[in-house]
Amino acid sequence: MKKILLLLFLFPTIVFAQPKNAGQNFRWVSEQWGIAPVGGQFYPEFNTLNDSLASMKGNDKDLYFRGLRGYGITAFDPVNISRGQLFDAAFSFAMFFQQDPVAFRRSPTDSLHFNMKGWHFMYSILGKDVIPGQTVALVLSPGWDFGMFKMIVSENGNGTKLTNGFIAPFGRAEMRFVFGPIVLGARGIYRYEITKDDWKIKSGPVFQLPGMRNTGYSIEFFVGWGHAHYN
């Protein structure tokens, strides 16, 4: 309890004591630069897929309720859109991996294995920092996410490769701390996919798989190299 109270005291102290830009330079922009490895948990819309797998397996253990892990790299910096209009921009590329394999037997001679992976690239260039300063930034922004989910279904040794591409607008909330050359932060995003949820068979025998959508949220964390400077 004492530690929580100490954190609650220190956080507003850091926020209000940090150097701030002022006058004509006050633009609600962090003016922080950084690049960092990023990792987190992604929760697309798996309900239909999970329901189908559960009906085949007979239970919901080891399905996709826990989402997918994502690891990659992210970068952020202020960008000048036009006529001195500065915004906080962020970019990220990451690969998706499932945490545990989904495998089960439907009969003594009939087995199924599901292996999902993929990638995504997001950009968000219209961000504004609601607590401007050199040390702490809280950026709110819209953005776009593009990517692809890939599923390998192995049935008795025969593999089928399916893909599901997506385009999803999103809202982003990002907290960052810059201490000298070190930046650390957390990013929360909620996406809404606007493309079709169908899987497309790329190779192998026909296997009907229920659709899925990249509508949902993700939570990511990053630690890397950063810098803050006000003109």
Side-chain angles (χ1 to χ4, degrees):
M1 185 63 181
K2 291 182 179 179
K3 293 181 179 180
I4 295 176
L5 292 175
L6 179 61
L7 290 174
L8 291 175
F9 171 77
L10 289 178
F11 180 74
T13 301
I14 294 173
V15 169
F16 291 110
Q18 65 179 332
K20 297 178 174 62
N21 54 353
Q24 294 181 351
N25 289 328
F26 191 82
R27 306 184 183 93
W28 296 100
V29 176
S30 68
E31 299 197 24
Q32 294 176 341
W33 289 259
I35 184 169
V38 62
Q41 196 75 6
F42 293 75
Y43 296 93
E45 176 55 70
F46 285 135
N47 288 347
T48 304
L49 177 61
N50 280 330
D51 290 344
S52 177
L53 294 180
S55 67
M56 290 188 289
K57 190 174 183 180
N59 60 66
D60 60 2
K61 185 179 179 181
D62 299 330
L63 300 183
Y64 291 104
F65 292 104
R66 291 189 292 170
L68 301 172
R69 291 280 174 86
Y71 300 99
I73 190 167
T74 187
F76 55 87
D77 62 351
V79 295
N80 192 333
I81 301 297
S82 65
R83 298 180 181 179
Q85 295 296 315
L86 282 177
F87 290 89
D88 190 292
F91 307 87
S92 182
F93 177 82
M95 304 294 294
F96 297 128
F97 303 94
Q98 66 185 57
Q99 296 185 50
D100 300 300
V102 176
F104 54 92
R105 289 186 176 275
R106 294 185 292 186
S107 70
T109 59
D110 187 6
S111 63
L112 282 172
H113 294 78
F114 297 85
N115 183 16
M116 187 185 298
K117 57 184 179 179
W119 61 269
H120 86 112
F121 172 78
M122 80 87 174
Y123 73 91
S124 179
I125 62 173
L126 296 177
K128 285 298 183 179
D129 183 8
V130 299
I131 49 173
Q134 290 186 346
T135 306
V136 182
L138 175 57
V139 177
L140 305 179
S141 177
W144 288 87
D145 202 18
F146 304 84
M148 180 78 68
F149 292 108
K150 300 178 182 180
M151 178 76 85
I152 302 295
V153 182
S154 299
E155 185 175 16
N156 300 324
N158 297 316
T160 298
K161 179 180 179 181
L162 305 100
T163 61
N164 189 328
F166 63 83
I167 301 174
F170 63 75
R172 168 176 68 105
E174 181 168 309
M175 176 72 76
R176 296 195 300 260
F177 300 85
V178 175
F179 303 103
I182 304 300
V183 61
L184 63 155
R187 174 185 298 149
I189 288 179
Y190 185 85
R191 299 168 177 81
Y192 186 84
E193 184 179 345
I194 59 175
T195 43
K196 294 182 178 180
D197 62 355
D198 299 332
W199 290 90
K200 296 181 179 179
I201 297 177
K202 291 299 182 180
S203 63
V206 174
F207 188 93
Q208 298 300 325
L209 194 66
M212 59 163 286
R213 303 182 67 84
N214 194 19
T215 295
Y217 68 94
S218 64
I219 302 174
E220 301 173 90
F221 301 92
F222 52 89
V223 179
W225 299 269
H227 177 66
H229 175 71
Y230 286 116
N231 296 321

